[in-house]
Amino acid sequence: MGSSPQVLSVDALVVGAGVGGIYSTYRLVRAGLNVQCIDMAGDVGGTWYWNTYPGAMSDTETYLYRYSWDSDDLRSYPWNRHYIYQPEILDYLRHVVDKHNLRKHMRFLTEMQNASWSDQEKTWVVSCSDNLVIRARYLINSLGLLSKPNYPDIPGISSYAGKLIHTARWDDSVELAGKTVGIIGNGSTGVQVMTAIAPKVGRLVSFQRHPQYSVPSGQGTVPDGYREQINQNYDKIWQDVWSSSTAFGVPEVTDKTMDFSPEERNKAFQRVWDQGNGFRFMFSAFGDLTTNSEANEEACKFLRSKIDEIVKDPKKARALKPRDLYARRPLCDTGYYEIFNRDNVDIVDLRDTSIESVVPEGIKTADGLVHKLDVLIFATGFDAIEVACSGFPNMYIISGPQGAFANFPVVIESEVDLVTECILHTESKDKSKRVLEVKSEAEQQWSDLCDKLVEGSLFKTTASWIFGCNVKGRKTSTKFFFGGLNQYRNWAKNEVATGFPSFANP
């Protein structure tokens, strides 16, 4: 017979100790609740614990890729670059947890295995690894938007005799120096990995299905006085972020592209190219790149011309140039196109010859060629996944489907604030009535609104994980609220102010 499980009773269980789980734990502990946070990882960090691949970096400037609620920490915690790399992000999150004494509420190497709601006891009963059972009135799933690695459906993967790595589970023990390395995937992660490892490997081959538009990130050491200026203006910076649509700290202009001459358009595009940041390029030159195909094509022409200008080999330049619209999640880089001027970096355009299978030696393409590889890297992203779901009382999801499409740390704060308000509202009731569940009709109305808001957006015209198109066989769906962070926060404030009309006692 097995031993009896260890039973732990708490007010709230937070699953996941990433950016969302840390803030959820902080808010609920501060509200006076008995909170337990668990994570299957060995420490805090979430996405930034697991994603240790070379070049992993935020695409939001450092001064915004942090929590807004500790004003002293915003101004005193050290940083000296425009963008922040994975080890620095992990150090920052550990610092926040230790500074606010949250570690005593956390258990690591603990995985949620199943959860069931007891309607009689108004309690979630959660079975975990290590024979642990946690009973909690509230279940907050903060598993992260990008947590489940997506492996491509390519025949023969299991036959590969070399080293195979997915960027979401990077293996530092694999030696890349001097090796022939192939990589599948050229989204944000793939671009970062390729740029970082190109100078180190013997040979790098990018197997590219969908070329991506990318702009310089603007990464570098901040100049003298930059940090001081940020510190002096932090209050205004956050006011602007909360009232913006994308929350990336870039100007969101309304100028229409075609109202300007070709020379003026090129000048505006060049200006944001020189400043760096993909979101700046998409939203700060003109205001209609995501809604007007003619305007978008002007941006495409500029970006294609930059590829021709940077990449000296016409064959490589041709392979790198997208033929579709500039309508995926904006990418930025630290010299991506430049690496293709290296003799040891090549590209296989899968638009011309597709991958037939993975074989023990490497990758076999449809033209019969076998590309011999020592290491094969999958940079193929995630199986990406509302703050609450009908049918699940007292359960909330941070970074779930149809949250606001904006700077993720800022979105996470906004969602956790709403979840906390829901829980505090529930706690104010008599014990027998401490249950809150979103109405099914409200859930459907939100889903319908998300579908309506994306109509007319050029994002919908390209295959992207934003709509689930990166997973073979997956039905496309609207995974985000495209009304802007400001509108999401206005909705949340109204929901709280009017007594949670979208929720009901089951």
Side-chain angles (χ1 to χ4, degrees):
M1 295 177 64
S3 60
S4 299
Q6 176 190 357
V7 179
L8 178 65
S9 296
V10 295
D11 297 325
L13 172 62
V14 177
V15 183
V19 175
I22 291 169
Y23 186 45
S24 297
T25 302
Y26 172 81
R27 284 296 317 268
L28 295 174
V29 167
R30 295 269 296 201
L33 275 70
N34 181 7
V35 182
Q36 180 66 67
C37 175
I38 63 172
D39 199 301
M40 64 184 292
D43 200 358
V44 299
T47 293
W48 298 107
Y49 176 91
W50 296 107
N51 283 265
T52 61
Y53 61 84
M57 183 182 81
S58 72
D59 56 5
T60 305
E61 285 212 50
T62 303
Y63 70 88
L64 284 182
Y65 207 85
R66 52 204 58 244
Y67 296 112
S68 71
W69 39 270
D70 188 334
S71 59
D72 174 68
D73 213 52
L74 283 170
R75 292 173 170 85
S76 61
Y77 188 80
W79 53 267
N80 62 0
R81 284 187 287 234
H82 286 291
Y83 295 86
I84 185 168
Y85 289 103
Q86 178 269 337
E88 300 165 306
I89 297 173
L90 197 54
D91 285 345
Y92 167 72
L93 293 175
R94 288 169 174 161
H95 157 77
V96 170
V97 167
D98 292 339
K99 178 180 179 180
H100 295 281
N101 200 22
L102 299 178
R103 211 170 272 278
K104 66 182 181 182
H105 303 284
M106 296 177 169
R107 296 174 70 128
F108 303 105
L109 302 175
T110 303
E111 182 178 7
M112 178 174 68
Q113 296 176 329
N114 62 68
S116 60
W117 170 256
S118 170
D119 197 48
Q120 181 177 3
E121 299 181 26
K122 305 293 188 289
T123 299
W124 282 99
V125 181
V126 180
S127 298
C128 305
S129 57
D130 291 337
N131 208 23
L132 172 67
V133 173
I134 302 177
R135 302 171 64 86
R137 285 201 303 280
Y138 306 101
L139 176 58
I140 299 93
N141 287 300
S142 187
L143 300 173
L145 179 72
L146 305 176
S147 57
K148 182 181 178 182
N150 172 48
Y151 286 86
D153 185 16
I154 301 174
I157 289 178
S158 61
S159 73
Y160 181 57
K163 295 290 186 179
L164 192 151
I165 317 174
H166 195 292
T167 52
R169 297 293 184 267
W170 191 261
D171 184 352
D172 284 315
S173 69
V174 176
E175 180 59 58
L176 298 180
K179 303 296 185 181
T180 299
V181 179
I183 183 167
I184 299 174
N186 60 305
S188 180
T189 297
V191 164
Q192 290 177 347
V193 170
M194 283 186 269
T195 306
I197 70 174
K200 304 174 183 178
V201 301
R203 184 165 179 260
L204 175 63
V205 184
S206 170
F207 294 87
Q208 178 191 262
R209 183 176 55 167
H210 291 299
Q212 297 261 27
Y213 297 102
S214 187
V215 306
S217 65
Q219 174 65 312
T221 303
V222 299
D224 291 342
Y226 184 88
R227 179 70 189 270
E228 289 75 12
Q229 183 180 5
I230 294 293
N231 282 353
Q232 292 170 8
N233 290 282
Y234 247 133
D235 292 342
K236 176 65 164 54
I237 286 169
W238 280 109
Q239 288 173 10
D240 291 343
V241 165
W242 298 128
S243 62
S244 70
S245 179
T246 65
F248 282 99
V250 301
E252 297 169 0
V253 303
T254 58
D255 293 339
K256 296 186 182 302
T257 309
M258 305 314 294
D259 287 349
F260 294 84
S261 68
E263 294 76 20
E264 290 170 325
R265 292 196 292 267
N266 270 348
K267 185 176 180 180
F269 287 136
Q270 185 66 52
R271 171 175 51 81
V272 290
W273 171 278
D274 291 339
Q275 289 176 314
N277 189 294
F279 291 92
R280 178 178 281 111
F281 190 92
M282 181 166 276
F283 297 106
S284 300
F286 300 102
D288 56 355
L289 297 190
T290 64
T291 57
N292 184 302
S293 57
E294 187 179 12
N296 191 282
E297 180 55 33
E298 291 300 304
C300 292
K301 287 193 293 187
F302 177 87
L303 292 170
R304 292 185 195 117
S305 74
K306 284 297 182 183
I307 296 172
D308 281 329
E309 179 184 314
I310 294 168
V311 182
K312 306 308 179 186
D313 184 332
K315 184 179 178 182
K316 291 182 182 179
R318 174 187 172 276
L320 287 163
K321 283 188 290 190
R323 300 169 191 168
D324 52 5
L325 294 176
Y326 177 53
R328 301 183 186 201
R329 192 178 191 277
L331 303 187
C332 58
D333 64 80
T334 56
Y336 170 61
Y337 294 126
E338 286 83 353
I339 68 171
F340 291 94
N341 291 326
R342 300 179 61 93
D343 293 336
N344 70 326
V345 178
D346 207 348
I347 186 168
V348 176
D349 191 343
L350 300 180
R351 296 174 298 185
D352 295 336
T353 178
S354 61
I355 293 176
E356 182 178 291
S357 63
V358 175
V359 295
E361 301 88 346
I363 289 178
K364 183 179 180 181
T365 46
D367 56 10
L369 286 176
V370 174
H371 303 264
K372 295 183 178 182
L373 305 169
D374 300 314
V375 181
L376 176 56
I377 299 172
F378 288 143
T380 46
F382 299 86
D383 186 354
I385 54 149
E386 303 164 291
V387 166
C389 300
S390 64
F392 294 85
N394 285 5
M395 190 191 85
Y396 302 94
I397 305 172
I398 309 301
S399 296
Q402 299 183 331
F405 184 75
N407 180 12
F408 281 157
V410 179
V411 170
I412 285 170
E413 278 200 39
S414 301
E415 292 182 349
V416 171
D417 287 344
L418 175 59
V419 168
T420 303
E421 291 295 335
C422 288
I423 291 174
L424 293 179
H425 173 74
T426 310
E427 282 289 287
S428 68
K429 300 179 181 180
D430 294 337
K431 285 189 177 182
S432 62
K433 297 180 180 179
R434 288 181 180 174
V435 177
L436 200 66
E437 178 184 338
V438 70
K439 298 175 182 176
S440 58
E441 57 268 31
E443 184 181 80
Q444 187 60 53
Q445 287 169 0
W446 185 262
S447 183
D448 291 343
L449 175 61
C450 289
D451 286 338
K452 181 180 178 181
L453 288 170
V454 81
E455 291 302 323
S457 169
L458 298 179
F459 279 118
K460 203 172 182 180
T461 65
T462 56
S464 169
W465 67 267
I466 291 174
F467 294 93
C469 300
N470 63 318
V471 180
K472 187 175 180 179
R474 172 69 53 81
K475 180 183 177 181
T476 59
S477 60
T478 306
K479 290 187 175 290
F480 290 95
F481 170 80
F482 280 91
L485 177 76
N486 48 359
Q487 295 305 313
Y488 172 83
R489 288 175 61 83
N490 287 340
W491 173 86
K493 289 176 183 177
N494 183 66
E495 187 71 19
V496 175
T498 54
F500 301 89
S502 299
F503 294 79
N505 287 330

